[in-house]
């Protein structure tokens, strides 16, 4: 191969799989100026519905990817989750707010093909992204030269077949977003860890104008003999899921019987089955997520039962966590060890979410009638405990565990404060900028940011300058004091936000500096000049900063 051909075949990042996680990763990298090639074996968006729910953190990630307004146009807010007994009596109710901490409805229903079309349209507008469809990746191999390949920092060779002809690309990094049957997982030498949940369910997506008894949220029927899930997705779209372990795929008459608790279906009624499919719900997590510059994301890294609606969300969090780190290494020469924090942060978080889903699955299906009756009493009493439902909602996405980029130091005296904020995500209120109301992240941009309730010290200014971070006083943002109250409750005078809006470090109340700059500075040190942060809503925002 000539040097010209070699250069033409090189791309900073190859993404295997053009589902929502892969395309979102491409868009997040594009916003940081990183070129990607996305390889997808299907020619078009898979037409049948799959994922149907997104929480407010996922919506914030879609906002970061540049498709927040487009998603709002196709999403339908949901009221929350109800647990029903076998007679469809409410055992417990977990409401979801119309606006959560991230600035969006806490639960939104949507149609996955519509989301995928939205994401692909956004990719088509980005010159940094190239989507190649009808392409089958057949190998992810070790490169040539000293230090090259999966176990080093050099290029990775990706072989693919298009129109019967095998081609290849060299990439500085490969993101495996290629699902449960991932070729990339084989390439990194990962195996599954079984978290002990496996059940066969029938999923039915329906379009109908027939009146459906619906509370505009999700129903989980906790019947050990016939557990089921029901939700409204759109104006005339509904989904039912039934565990039918000993039955064949239900015919139309059987389906009419199963759906009867929610809808009366006279013969000849307008009732279109969009999709009817059997799935085996599993709980698994890969035992490793990375080999050199090859990474696993989404279903390639973890599989969860759908009972708390976090399957897609976990993959989107993977993309948000990894992309800013990868961009900083590729473009700014940050320490390669920064990439180690992807698995160390995301894997325990994903495991926690999967275990919550498994616990919900047990609540729906475990035990005999006596146990079901006991659960009814326990859940009915528990849901009346003040604050419990709000705590349950927050626990869907707990704070990240302590690590190199989460400076939670247990040995700090309690009077230092701030530790409760570290590892969590900064809330996103609407703020006022030049007379306009915008979500906070539109003000902060795509890089690091500092929010402060006190005049910044010289050392804080130096840290911000070194990171290329902008500093924002929380007073005067027009957010009704929400950020100031958040800092005050966390006993912090300032917080350092990562590009994914996780609180990395704090200035405790009464202190002058972050708690442990030396602990993370070496990972983020750049050998090249920091890139200027994008300012999506204009340079006039500089008047809102303190530098």
């Amino acid at each position: 191969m000539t040097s010209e051909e070699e250069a033409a075949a090189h791309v900073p990042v190859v993404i295997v799989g053009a589902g929502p996680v892969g395309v979102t990763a491409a868009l997040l990298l594009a916003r940081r100026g990183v070129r990607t090639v996305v390889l997808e074996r299907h020619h078009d968006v898979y037409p049948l519905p799959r994922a149907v729910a997104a929480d407010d953190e996922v919506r914030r990630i879609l906002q970061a990817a540049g498709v927040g307004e487009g998603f709002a146009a196709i999403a339908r807010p949901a009221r929350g989750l109800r647990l029903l007994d076998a007679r469809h009596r409410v055992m417990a109710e977990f409401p979801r707010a119309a606006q959560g901490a991230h600035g969006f409805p806490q639960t939104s229903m949507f149609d996955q093909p519509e989301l995928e079309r939205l994401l692909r349209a956004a990719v088509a507008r980005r010159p940094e992204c190239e989507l190649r469809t009808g392409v089958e990746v057949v190998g992810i191999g070790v490169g040539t030269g000293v230090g090259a390949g999966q176990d080093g920092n050099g290029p990775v060779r990706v072989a693919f077949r298009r129109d019967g002809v095998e081609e290849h690309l060299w990439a500085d990094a490969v993101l495996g977003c290629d699902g449960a049957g991932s070729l990339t997982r084989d390439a990194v030498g990962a195996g599954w860890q079984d978290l002990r949940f496996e059940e066969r369910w029938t999923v039915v997506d329906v379009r109908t104008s027939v009146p459906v008894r619906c509370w505009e949220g999700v129903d989980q029927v906790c019947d050990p003999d016939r557990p089921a899930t029901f939700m409204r997705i759109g104006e005339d779209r509904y989904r039912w899921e039934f565990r039918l372990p000993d039955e064949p795929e239900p015919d139309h008459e059987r389906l009419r019987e199963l759906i009867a608790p929610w809808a009366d279906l006279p013969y000849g009624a307008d009732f279109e089955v969009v999709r009817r499919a059997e799935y085996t719900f599993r709980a698994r997590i890969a035992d490793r997520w990375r080999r050199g510059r090859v990474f696993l994301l989404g279903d390639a890294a973890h599989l969860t039962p759908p009972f708390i609606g976090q399957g897609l969300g976990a993959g989107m969090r993977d993309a948000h966590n990894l992309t800013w780190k990868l961009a900083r290494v590729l473009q700014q020469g940050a320490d390669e060890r920064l990439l180690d924090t992807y698995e160390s942060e995301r894997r325990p978080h994903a495991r926690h979410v999967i275990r919550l889903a498994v616990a919900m699955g047990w609540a729906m299906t475990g035990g005999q009638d006596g146990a079901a009756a006991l659960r009814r009493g326990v859940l009915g009493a528990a849901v009346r405990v003040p604050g419990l439902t709000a705590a349950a909602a927050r626990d869907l996405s707990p704070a990240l565990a302590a690590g190199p980029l989460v400076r939670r130091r247990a040995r700090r005296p309690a009077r230092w404060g701030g530790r409760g904020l570290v590892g969590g995500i900064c809330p996103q209120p609407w703020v006022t900028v030049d007379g306009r109301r915008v979500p906070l992240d539109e003000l902060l941009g795509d890089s690091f940011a500092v929010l402060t309730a006190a005049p910044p010290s010289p050392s804080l200014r130096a840290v911000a300058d070194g990171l290329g971070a902008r500093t924002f006083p929380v007073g005067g943002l027009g957010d009704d004091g929400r950020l100031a109250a958040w800092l005050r409750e966390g006993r912090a005078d300032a917080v350092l936000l990562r590009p994914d809006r996780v609180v990395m470090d704090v200035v405790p109340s009464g202190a002058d500096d972050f708690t442990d700059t030396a602990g993370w500075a070496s990972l983020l040190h750049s050998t090249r000049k920091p890139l200027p942060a994008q300012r999506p809503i204009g340079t006039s925002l500089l008047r809102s900063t303190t530098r």
Side-chain angles (χ1 to χ4, degrees), residues 167-233:
E167 305 175 46
H168 75 265
L169 287 169
W170 294 98
D172 294 323
V174 174
L175 308 188
C177 306
D178 46 346
S182 171
L183 175 75
T184 314
R185 189 173 58 251
D186 295 337
V188 304
W192 284 125
Q193 290 184 351
D194 191 348
L195 300 184
R196 299 185 179 181
F197 186 93
E198 184 169 318
E199 290 186 347
R200 186 170 64 86
W201 284 62
T202 296
V203 178
V204 183
D205 286 285
V206 166
R207 178 177 284 110
T208 182
S209 60
V210 171
V212 177
R213 292 178 283 277
C214 175
W215 81 297
E216 300 298 340
V218 178
D219 284 344
Q220 302 274 24
V221 181
C222 302
D223 178 2
D225 294 324
R226 184 58 44 74
T229 305
F230 163 70
M231 65 205 75
R232 184 174 186 174
I233 300 170

Side-chain angles (χ1 to χ4, degrees), residues 96-110:
R96 302 292 272 167
Q99 183 171 335
H102 299 284
F104 299 100
Q106 284 189 303
T107 300
S108 298
M109 312 306 293
F110 66 96

Side-chain angles (χ1 to χ4, degrees), residues 7 112 114 177 180 224 253 301 353 380 403 419 451 464 466 523:
Q112 182 169 334
E114 286 188 308
C177 306
E253 189 63 33
V353 170
R419 289 179 295 158
L451 298 178
L523 291 185

Side-chain angles (χ1 to χ4, degrees), residues 72-95:
I74 66 172
R76 183 184 189 91
R79 290 178 58 185
L81 169 69
R82 295 192 310 185
L83 303 183
L84 311 180
D85 66 11
R87 296 172 60 185
H88 286 233
R89 295 174 300 183
V90 177
M91 299 163 60
E93 187 172 307
F94 299 89

Side-chain angles (χ1 to χ4, degrees), residues 237-532:
R237 286 280 314 283
Y238 305 88
R239 170 172 290 185
W240 281 271
E241 300 171 357
F242 302 99
R243 190 186 69 176
L244 305 171
D246 302 318
E247 296 184 25
E249 183 175 311
D251 57 19
H252 195 77
E253 189 63 33
R254 178 63 174 137
L255 191 57
R256 181 190 304 273
E257 177 187 336
L258 291 169
I259 291 174
W262 292 274
D264 300 319
L265 295 179
Y267 287 97
D270 171 31
F271 190 82
E272 176 192 356
V273 176
V274 178
R275 180 187 68 157
R276 180 167 46 197
E278 285 191 4
Y279 281 93
T280 300
F281 296 156
R282 294 185 172 93
R284 293 179 177 177
I285 192 165
D287 57 10
R288 62 183 297 178
W289 290 27
R290 176 191 179 196
R291 185 180 176 195
R293 291 275 187 85
V294 183
F295 303 86
L296 303 180
L297 295 81
D299 286 354
H302 40 73
L303 297 173
T304 180
F307 304 119
I308 58 173
Q310 291 295 308
L312 175 66
M316 301 295 265
R317 291 181 179 94
D318 295 344
H320 206 205
N321 184 289
L322 176 60
T323 49
W324 73 266
K325 299 171 182 176
L326 186 58
R328 196 166 184 93
V329 169
L330 295 181
Q331 293 200 311
Q332 296 172 242
D335 195 300
E336 191 78 14
R337 292 176 300 154
L338 178 62
L339 300 178
D340 293 337
T341 65
Y342 165 61
E343 180 175 347
S344 66
E345 290 181 348
R346 283 295 309 139
R347 191 163 177 265
H349 193 282
R351 178 187 289 272
H352 173 87
V353 170
I354 294 170
R355 290 198 181 280
L356 281 177
V358 169
M360 179 62 76
W362 178 87
M364 290 179 65
T365 67
Q368 303 302 314
D369 290 348
L374 178 62
R375 284 197 305 275
R376 174 182 169 83
V378 171
L379 286 170
V383 77
R384 292 191 292 271
V385 176
L388 181 64
T389 55
R394 286 196 303 270
D395 202 40
L396 291 179
S397 184
L400 297 179
L405 298 181
V406 177
R407 306 312 297 176
R408 189 184 296 118
R409 302 186 67 181
R411 289 177 293 177
R412 288 279 182 185
R415 62 182 175 81
W416 277 79
R419 289 179 295 158
L421 302 181
V422 176
I425 301 178
C426 172
Q428 181 181 217
W430 285 69
V431 298
T432 300
V433 177
D434 294 339
R436 290 181 294 158
R437 298 287 288 168
V438 298
L440 175 68
D441 290 355
E442 297 298 312
L443 171 65
L444 301 184
D446 293 327
S447 187
F448 288 86
V450 175
L451 298 178
T452 178
S457 66
S459 58
L460 186 151
R461 290 177 181 273
V463 168
D465 287 340
L467 289 171
R470 302 168 70 202
T471 302
F472 299 87
V474 295
L477 287 180
D479 67 337
D480 297 325
R482 286 185 58 194
L483 291 172
W486 175 67
L487 288 174
R488 189 165 54 250
E489 183 180 351
R491 293 188 295 167
D493 282 345
V495 291
L496 176 59
L497 304 181
R498 304 178 347 179
D500 55 6
R501 301 302 163 232
V502 170
V503 178
M504 186 166 78
D505 207 342
V506 299
V507 176
S509 297
D512 293 324
D513 202 355
F514 295 107
T515 64
D516 195 18
T517 306
W520 47 258
S522 62
L523 291 185
L524 298 172
H525 173 73
S526 298
T527 60
R528 297 187 287 279
K529 183 178 179 181
L531 299 174

Side-chain angles (χ1 to χ4, degrees), residues 42-65:
H42 296 292
H43 285 281
D44 202 354
V45 168
Y46 185 72
L48 298 179
R50 288 165 288 168
V52 293
D55 62 23
D56 52 333
E57 185 181 345
V58 170
R59 290 196 61 166
R60 191 172 183 178
I61 295 169
L62 292 171
Q63 173 194 343

